[in-house]
Amino acid sequence: MKLEEVLEARRGAVTAVALVVPFLACGVLAAAGRPLPDASAVVALALLIVAASATGLRPAGLAASVSSAVGFDYFLTKPYESLTIHDSEDVQVAVLLLLVGFAVNELALWGQRQRAELGRARGYLDGVMATAESVATPGGEPQRVIAAVAARLRDVLRLDSCEYHASTHLPGGPVLGRDGSVTRSGLTLDVDRSGLPIDEVILLPVHVGGRQRGYFTLTAASRVSRPSVQQRRVAVLLADQLSALLDTSTQDH
């Protein structure tokens, strides 16, 4: 079984559990004795919603929210074992339970996205530092450093390929600037929305002492890559590491 199929099966199983457990929990609470204080039931159901949201799967969190509201209505409000609610306060509790569940789910997902973004940013910085250390290593081979920088650029920008060309002439095409913008013929491309161009390579110049010594060709043809402006600036920093090596080699000669 492929990894994608395993993950899809896991997501389906987690969502199914999130849908069933709150409804059954309401049944257990009802069997324990009625009437049950609304506050106690809501707290118990909220904990189940938080647990489902913590999985990082939006369908699981939403399923737990809907299941909690329906289970609360069916088992814990009069008339019992019916989806009809006569008491306006019970209606408010059911609606609030549903809304709070949706809010908790979105907050949990937002927190996970923030942690993931921080983890990626740390990884990018670690990559820059590792490349800088390889440049600073005495006797470092230029080709090895160039290959390391190209590999980092492929990872940071999610590229298909990345190659370095030693040339004082920059051919035509989109250019990745130092501010992270991508321009073509003087016009700034909306990378955040449309992604990197897939019909032509992007050029990343490498300058030493204000003069161009070469450039990287960045290719993203097989899929749409939308690196953030922070990622694009990290790419420029990586290219700067190569310029430091080229500057050192020039001084040595």
Side-chain angles (χ1 to χ4, degrees), residues 13 16 21 35 37 42 50 84 92-93 101 117 122 126 174 176 186 191 220 227-228 241:
V21 169
V42 168
V50 170
T84 302
Q92 294 175 6
V93 172
E117 185 64 31
R122 181 176 179 178
D126 288 344
L176 175 56
V191 176
S228 65
Q241 303 305 318

Side-chain angles (χ1 to χ4, degrees), residues 9-21 55 57-64:
R10 174 187 173 275
R11 286 192 288 266
V14 171
T15 301
V17 170
L19 181 64
V20 171
V21 169
T55 63
L57 301 176
R58 176 177 278 109
L62 296 179

